[in-house]
Structures are given as structure tokens and as C-alpha cells.
Amino acid sequence: MIKQELPKNKLRIEHLQCIRDDRILFDDLNFQLAAGQLLQIEGPNGSGKTSLLRILCGLTLATEGVVYWNEQDIQTISAEYWATLAYIGHAPGIKADLTPLENLAMARALNMNPNNMMLDTALAQMGLYGFEDVPTRTLSAGQQRRVALARLLINQAQLWILDEPFTALDKAAIKMIETLLDNHAKQGGMAILTSHHTVNCEYASILSLRS
């Protein structure tokens, strides 16, 4: 059997600084993430975790420093970079009046790099079998979070950036997402996430931000 070669992608952060409201959240931040690695960012509220994720996504600019994707500044290759990226923020980012299937269909239409997974299959894998066609507003907070996380299953993004993905999830769902993260890493993917929950993943390391 021929062993499949894993992707060689790399994310590198060099001398990153973030100032918000005249306060330095972090300064001279350096790290790198390679294919098959997961990074948990931890720190107290206000330490800059969400600000860091938004900078890594290219949604906001750092005060100083550069984010490199495969040794290229992400600001110069934004379209290429966003095609490799799946970002799920702290808010679910779903439409309450649409069904879970409709929400995923919209996400797929906007996705720059979708795969061929059936939408109902993705929802079933997230424990939402039987809830595909109900208004999302009728679901619990944990179920709505699962709808949001189902977006990870319908694209081919190598880099996942997740802000508090375990919010409102029960223990079984947390374990399911941890397994999903480990499987993503085993396939050569990468993930950066924030969480107050200690992530129990084989491939995870921790970066602490201090306020």
C-alpha cells in the first residue's frame, strides 16, 4: 500500500502585537503550526484570545508583526489563504429562521473549497438526525452550536480556527468534537482554538496569553 503524503502547510506568526483601546493585549508573539498539529490558546478574559484569532483569519490587522501561510504574508494572498481556512466564531453564525439543512446549504454556497459530503450526513454526524428540517431557533443552544460546527464537515479547509467551540456542549458532544479535531490532525489538517475547557486531544499543545 502506498502511504499518502500529508500536506506540508505551515502557519507562522512573527513578532505579533495587538493594541486595543490603548492597552497592549499581547506583544512580540511568535509561534508556528505545521500540518497535523492542534493549538489551544488559553488565557483570562480580556487577554486577547478572540483578537488573536481574528488577526489569524485576516479579519483585522495586527498593530505589528506578520502572519505567514507557507512563508507568504496572508495579506498578500488573502483569497488563496481564505480558501484553506474554516473559521467559526464564538457566536454560532447561523440564521435562526432557517432549518439546519438550509443553514448548511447556505454555508456550502459561500464556501470557497467545499467537499462532496451530503448535508444531512454532516448533521447526522453532529448528532442532529431528525432535526434537519425544523427552524433552528427551536433548537437548544448546544444543538445550534452543533449546526455551526457541522460546517467543518462540508469543506476541505486545512486550517480550522475556532473560538470557544465547546460552548453549550454536553460531555458527549465535547468528546465528539475532540475526536473530530484529532481526525483532522491525523489527515494532515491544522487547528487553532480557544477554550476554557482543557482540550483532550492527542495532537494538541497549549499557548497561554496573559493579560
Side-chain angles (χ1 to χ4, degrees):
M1 179 182 294
I2 299 175
K3 186 176 181 181
Q4 185 176 4
E5 188 77 12
L6 293 179
K8 299 298 184 182
N9 295 311
K10 183 172 73 172
L11 183 75
R12 182 165 64 87
I13 283 73
E14 188 173 277
H15 305 306
L16 218 59
Q17 181 192 70
C18 179
I19 298 177
R20 292 289 183 270
D21 299 323
D22 297 323
R23 184 168 72 92
I24 297 177
L25 297 181
F26 50 82
D27 186 36
D28 198 26
L29 185 63
N30 301 274
F31 65 86
Q32 68 179 30
L33 195 70
Q37 293 183 326
L38 311 173
L39 180 65
Q40 178 184 357
I41 299 169
E42 64 174 20
N45 291 339
S47 60
K49 300 186 297 297
T50 295
S51 294
L52 174 58
L53 294 193
R54 290 182 61 82
I55 290 170
L56 297 180
C57 289
L59 298 175
T60 57
L61 294 175
T63 312
E64 292 182 6
V66 183
V67 179
Y68 294 99
W69 176 253
N70 295 331
E71 301 306 327
Q72 297 183 79
D73 184 341
I74 64 170
Q75 297 301 321
T76 67
I77 56 164
S78 55
E80 175 187 336
Y81 179 61
W82 288 333
T84 71
L85 172 67
Y87 171 62
I88 298 178
H90 184 63
I94 54 181
K95 300 294 184 181
D97 290 331
L98 298 181
T99 68
L101 270 177
E102 290 169 337
N103 269 288
L104 277 196
M106 182 173 64
R108 169 162 282 170
L110 296 172
N111 199 309
M112 299 175 69
N113 196 11
N115 61 23
N116 295 321
M117 178 176 283
M118 300 292 292
L119 301 183
D120 54 354
T121 301
L123 291 171
Q125 286 193 21
M126 285 293 170
L128 292 168
Y129 178 79
F131 295 94
E132 301 92 341
D133 295 313
V134 302
T136 305
R137 57 180 162 74
T138 67
L139 302 180
S140 70
Q143 289 172 320
Q144 291 185 26
R145 174 59 60 174
R146 293 183 191 214
V147 174
L149 292 169
R151 298 201 299 266
L152 297 174
L153 298 175
I154 62 169
N155 69 60
Q156 302 181 78
Q158 291 90 26
L159 174 60
W160 295 354
I161 296 183
L162 313 174
D163 196 356
E164 297 291 345
F166 304 111
T167 298
L169 296 183
D170 59 21
K171 290 182 179 180
I174 289 172
K175 179 60 178 176
M176 176 177 62
I177 300 306
E178 289 175 338
T179 300
L180 185 67
L181 286 163
D182 263 338
N183 288 340
H184 181 59
K186 287 176 184 177
Q187 295 166 11
M190 310 150 69
I192 299 175
L193 65 150
T194 63
S195 179
H196 294 291
H197 156 80
T198 300
V199 179
N200 185 24
C201 287
E202 179 181 355
Y203 298 92
S205 58
I206 295 176
L207 170 68
S208 295
L209 296 181
R210 302 301 180 191
S211 60

